[in-house]
Amino acid sequence: MIFSAMKNLELHHFKAFNNSMPIVLDNPDAKNVLLYGENGAGKSSLFEALRYAFYKDIIEQVDPLLPMAERIAAIDAIRIGY
């Protein structure tokens, strides 16, 4: 299998990112990325956006009528299962 490295990503209107937010990864050959910033800067929002991107199809199959706690538990179970 051949994998290509992520070189950049852009968030549009997702949680803390009200407008377009381009994120450029300076070293696309790196195996690890360190994300840091002050509280409220959007680190967790970025993580949630990536998680949603990787598990979107499965997450969207979770019943939206479930109570929020059950919905979150179902989504977490999906994420943990992969």
Side-chain angles (χ1 to χ4, degrees):
M1 256 185 199
I2 298 175
F3 294 98
S4 63
M6 184 183 299
K7 296 178 184 173
N8 59 48
L9 64 103
E10 193 164 336
L11 297 175
H12 296 275
H13 306 289
F14 187 83
K15 292 194 153 214
F17 303 99
N18 293 328
N19 298 314
S20 176
M21 177 65 181
I23 299 170
V24 178
L25 303 173
D26 291 335
N27 186 356
D29 295 326
K31 293 182 181 181
N32 299 306
V33 174
L34 173 65
L35 182 64
Y36 63 94
E38 296 193 23
N39 291 344
K43 299 177 301 290
S44 295
S45 294
L46 177 60
F47 173 73
E48 288 182 38
L50 288 170
R51 181 170 65 174
Y52 182 77
F54 289 118
Y55 303 109
K56 178 181 181 257
D57 294 338
I58 299 168
I59 289 172
E60 288 181 345
Q61 292 176 7
V62 173
D63 186 354
L65 299 178
L66 285 174
M68 186 56 76
E70 289 180 37
R71 209 164 172 251
I72 291 170
I75 291 170
D76 285 342
I78 292 167
R79 181 182 54 82
I80 290 168
Y82 279 85

